[in-house]
Amino acid sequence: MIQSQPYVQLVGVDDSQSVGYVRLHVRRSLDRTQVEAGAAAMRARLRSVSSIAFVRDNIIFPGVETAPRTPAAGVQLDRRGVFIFGTVSPDEFALVELPGIVDSVLVTTGPTAGLNIDQAAPAVQAFVAQLTNGSWCNEFGYPLTTLEAAYVQIRV
Amino acid sequence: MGQSYPDSLITRPCFLVPIDAALVPIVAGALKPLEERRYWASDADYERGYNAVVEFQICMTKACIDDLIESNNRLYRLLNTGLFGQDYTLVSENPLTITPAIPKVPSIEGIQLPGLIARVLRLEQLLDNALNGIVYTDWQESPGLRLVVNEILTALQTADNVDQDLLTKLSEIAVLLG
């Protein structure tokens, strides 16, 4: 994996709420704090030269796989494994979707055969353990704790 | 104009919506737009709406109709064993096969121990046999206590030098036996 050139997206909306953005690449030597400061300064300047309303910054540090493996024959992005977690807050949940879930981790017996993901499968347990190690959270900042459900969904 | 989170969400009753297992991936996947900020009117609506929709998706594979029906069947078997003493045999786990099958109409034939009804019936027969001397398969004492006590009482009432205190107590026992 090599790191590609970081960039900032300064996202804004027009009068019809259509979304657009200004995309600016950043020198790789800058750290996150410097990039955030640069984005904030740039946003202030843009207000004077653009009439759209800037609503969000995306700061991207892309990584590019140098030797990606070949996708399995027939694999489809839309057939996703959906893993739903509880979090440290009882009213907060987190949904993680995994494109191209492999059939070998699906339950093979009972009413949910071919639908539910086998939570006892070692590969699934390793994936879940990684997601619940305290690093990952839902969209509202609550760290993932326990796996509540895992099954296949078609998500376009 | 985004969608506001319905404030009445947790105060209304829930409906059980059966979905064929083959359709669950499609129906659940179609909920994806509701997990996105742009669907909701405000950040607060989004957070509440996102969590409600995701929690709903947790339920979608947890309340299988077959499981619910089978839980009813388990209750039937529990009652049938407890009340009527019916034995059941697990023939196979997948597909789940248990014999005998649950009949459309319950039968009172074949009541047996250790069922509660058979136990009560047996106790009733024991009492009937002991008191009245009625003979049953398991209880065959004869004559019954009522007759014996009354015979003793009659004999003592006509005898000489009977302890009157003993006679009084025996009369009380005869009254208690009915």
Side-chain angles (χ1 to χ4, degrees):
Chain A
M1 184 77 76
I2 61 167
Q3 185 162 332
S4 184
Q5 203 68 29
Y7 61 92
V8 173
Q9 280 182 332
L10 300 133
V11 182
V13 294
D14 67 10
D15 192 38
S16 67
Q17 297 298 304
S18 296
V19 177
Y21 57 84
V22 177
R23 177 169 168 163
L24 299 168
H25 284 90
V26 181
R27 282 169 39 221
R28 201 177 297 169
S29 59
L30 300 185
D31 64 21
R32 175 185 156 181
T33 304
Q34 293 170 309
V35 176
E36 285 178 344
M42 181 57 71
R43 192 168 58 239
R45 299 291 181 271
L46 288 171
R47 287 195 189 110
S48 302
V49 291
S50 171
S51 298
I52 68 170
F54 287 94
V55 295
R56 188 173 71 242
D57 296 344
N58 295 329
I59 298 173
I60 314 291
F61 287 83
V64 179
E65 187 69 61
T66 51
R69 69 175 182 177
T70 304
V75 65
Q76 293 181 325
L77 290 172
D78 293 347
R79 189 166 181 274
R80 298 166 194 262
V82 169
F83 296 77
I84 304 177
F85 292 84
T87 70
V88 293
S89 171
D91 296 327
E92 292 280 341
F93 299 92
L95 186 150
V96 177
E97 53 182 90
L98 180 63
I101 186 77
V102 294
D103 287 336
S104 61
V105 298
L106 302 184
V107 169
T108 57
T109 59
T112 59
L115 172 63
N116 269 2
I117 294 166
D118 182 2
Q119 297 184 21
V124 173
Q125 290 191 332
F127 176 60
V128 170
Q130 191 69 30
L131 282 167
T132 54
N133 68 4
S135 298
W136 310 95
C137 63
N138 75 353
E139 313 204 12
F140 313 102
Y142 295 90
L144 280 53
T145 53
T146 52
L147 182 63
E148 300 283 352
Y151 59 100
V152 175
Q153 291 188 12
I154 306 301
R155 296 194 147 220
V156 181
Chain B
M1 184 76 174
Q3 178 67 45
S4 296
Y5 182 84
D7 285 329
S8 62
L9 194 75
I10 60 170
T11 62
R12 300 291 303 276
C14 288
F15 295 97
L16 187 63
V17 182
I19 303 174
D20 190 290
L23 277 178
V24 168
I26 299 170
V27 174
L31 296 172
K32 184 179 179 182
L34 279 63
E35 299 160 13
E36 296 173 2
R37 171 64 184 87
R38 62 186 172 190
Y39 180 86
W40 298 96
S42 70
D43 288 344
D45 290 321
Y46 169 46
E47 184 166 357
R48 296 174 73 189
Y50 172 91
N51 285 304
V53 169
V54 171
E55 190 174 17
F56 170 60
Q57 290 177 70
I58 292 173
C59 302
M60 290 188 77
T61 60
K62 284 198 169 177
C64 175
I65 295 294
D66 288 346
D67 290 340
L68 294 176
I69 292 171
E70 180 48 32
S71 71
N72 276 353
N73 290 345
R74 282 199 295 272
L75 282 175
Y76 177 92
R77 293 188 200 100
L78 175 68
L79 288 172
N80 204 23
T81 300
L83 293 175
F84 295 94
Q86 176 67 58
D87 283 329
Y88 287 97
T89 303
L90 177 64
V91 178
S92 71
E93 287 275 8
N94 185 34
L96 183 64
T97 306
I98 295 172
T99 56
I102 294 176
K104 289 183 177 172
V105 178
S107 170
I108 59 169
E109 298 292 328
I111 293 171
Q112 60 189 5
L113 291 173
L116 190 61
I117 292 175
R119 183 80 64 197
V120 169
L121 195 60
R122 191 173 149 84
L123 290 173
E124 186 180 294
Q125 290 173 349
L126 169 64
L127 199 59
D128 198 24
N129 175 248
L131 289 178
N132 304 318
I134 306 297
V135 173
Y136 295 93
T137 303
D138 293 333
W139 314 109
Q140 300 183 352
E141 294 300 323
S142 184
L145 271 175
R146 276 190 182 128
L147 183 60
V148 171
V149 169
N150 279 318
E151 283 177 355
I152 294 172
L153 198 56
T154 302
L156 290 176
Q157 283 169 341
T158 57
D160 296 331
N161 300 321
V162 175
D163 183 334
Q164 287 303 308
D165 190 40
L166 181 65
L167 197 58
T168 302
K169 288 178 179 173
L170 203 54
S171 298
E172 288 171 357
I173 291 172
V175 170
L176 286 173
L177 291 176

